[in-house]
Amino acid sequence: VWMRKVTSVFMAFVLLLALTACNSGGASGGAKAEIKGETKEVGDFSVLVPEGWMGYDMELSGEPITYKTQIYKGAKEEIDMWSTPSVQITYWKDGEEDILTSAKSAYNDTKDMDPVTIGDYTWKGFTGSFSDKPVTFLYTDEVGPFSLTVFTDVDGKTISLEDADFQAIVNSLKVMQKI
């Protein structure tokens, strides 16, 4: 009987240590994953393009668009852009009145989502679809202001808001100061 009590107390202690060890480095207190890639200067802002992703310079009538870029997960060449999930980043340098309401008109089956915190900023947004592809639209005026259009599932390839590489992209956004 005495041996069972000692064993029970010992096992409880080991379990407590294991739970404590598993909890350290969690979402709130651990070190951020180190994501490698290249910083891309778009014109009005810069953003990290992680390894394994491809940045795409957008143009309008042959002129570079300096306030918007798209980054494709897993794309190796331009043709891959149509079959890979992506993040479109727009810098609203002149601000925008109620961007969420106006953006919703471009998508189908929209549903508001609770604000999400990524890095130091809180993003408001909604989910919906565009050409039958699921989309998450996020907006913040705490930095930028920026909007993100995330094509989360394309041909079975996915991006999640919790993915370390997605969060590294969002955390890297910086407005370029032009003099």
Side-chain angles (χ1 to χ4, degrees):
V1 174
W2 178 81
M3 188 61 128
R4 283 187 195 163
K5 286 182 182 180
V6 170
T7 303
S8 295
V9 169
F10 178 74
M11 292 303 287
F13 180 71
V14 169
L15 181 60
L16 180 64
L17 285 176
L19 289 174
T20 302
C22 289
N23 194 29
S24 66
S28 62
K32 293 179 182 175
E34 183 67 31
I35 303 297
K36 294 181 180 174
E38 291 186 25
T39 298
K40 175 183 172 101
E41 291 186 7
V42 177
D44 292 332
F45 67 97
S46 66
V47 62
L48 174 72
V49 178
E51 288 181 359
W53 293 61
M54 184 180 88
Y56 179 71
D57 294 323
M58 300 177 84
E59 294 182 354
L60 181 64
S61 301
E63 295 294 318
I65 297 176
T66 62
Y67 60 89
K68 187 181 288 195
T69 194
Q70 195 132 349
I71 305 172
Y72 296 86
K73 181 179 181 179
K76 298 195 184 343
E77 53 191 3
E78 244 178 80
I79 193 73
D80 296 335
M81 295 185 310
W82 304 106
S83 61
T84 59
S86 64
V87 180
Q88 184 180 80
I89 303 161
T90 305
Y91 167 55
W92 300 94
K93 65 181 170 184
D94 296 325
E96 186 71 24
E97 291 294 318
D98 201 13
I99 186 66
L100 291 175
T101 301
S102 60
K104 281 184 182 179
S105 65
Y107 303 98
N108 299 315
D109 306 317
T110 61
K111 293 183 182 93
D112 289 334
M113 54 187 282
D114 291 333
V116 295
T117 300
I118 302 173
D120 296 329
Y121 306 108
T122 301
W123 299 76
K124 301 173 191 166
F126 61 87
T127 59
S129 64
F130 183 80
S131 297
D132 295 323
K133 306 236 186 279
V135 173
T136 299
F137 184 91
L138 300 173
Y139 176 80
T140 189
D141 56 8
E142 294 177 21
V143 62
F146 285 104
S147 67
L148 309 173
T149 306
V150 186
F151 289 85
T152 55
D153 188 337
V154 178
D155 294 343
K157 301 170 196 148
T158 62
I159 298 174
S160 166
L161 301 185
E162 291 80 24
D163 290 347
D165 46 358
F166 173 78
Q167 292 200 4
I169 290 168
V170 174
N171 288 327
S172 75
L173 291 170
K174 290 193 179 33
V175 175
M176 304 295 288
Q177 298 297 325
K178 301 283 183 182
I179 297 176

